[in-house]
Amino acid sequence: MEIKMTKKNQHVVPHKDGWAVKGAGNAKATAIHPTQQSAITQARDIARNQGSEMLVHGTNGRIRERNTYGKDPYPPEG
């Protein structure tokens, strides 16, 4: 039986100790960073390696930025 690694979108979310990088659906954070920028750097690297998306949440918890890495299933026409 072949085990297939799923591509999880990476979320940068506010955390009581700074900012957390969390894979979509994960209860625990992958890592906790003191600054949002350092969390974004790690989340971007993971998303690039997995060919998934990185979603950055603001302090209010709402998504403020979204980047797709890898093949876009819906590329822009033109």
Side-chain angles (χ1 to χ4, degrees):
M1 184 167 92
E2 184 182 324
I3 298 173
K4 194 169 151 185
M5 189 171 180
T6 58
K7 297 176 183 179
K8 287 191 174 185
N9 292 341
Q10 299 300 309
H11 293 259
V12 175
V13 296
H15 185 276
K16 68 179 176 70
D17 296 323
W19 292 88
V21 176
K22 287 180 94 174
N26 290 358
K28 286 188 161 188
T30 302
I32 297 166
H33 294 266
T35 66
Q36 187 183 44
Q37 190 54 55
S38 63
I40 288 170
T41 299
Q42 182 184 23
R44 181 181 297 124
D45 289 345
I46 294 169
R48 280 184 178 148
N49 288 339
Q50 293 184 354
S52 61
E53 280 193 289
M54 176 190 69
L55 297 95
V56 179
H57 298 253
T59 53
N60 63 359
R62 296 184 64 168
I63 295 170
R64 67 175 184 85
E65 184 181 333
R66 176 181 214 136
N67 292 296
T68 303
Y69 301 96
K71 271 196 145 179
D72 188 347
Y74 305 103
E77 292 181 26

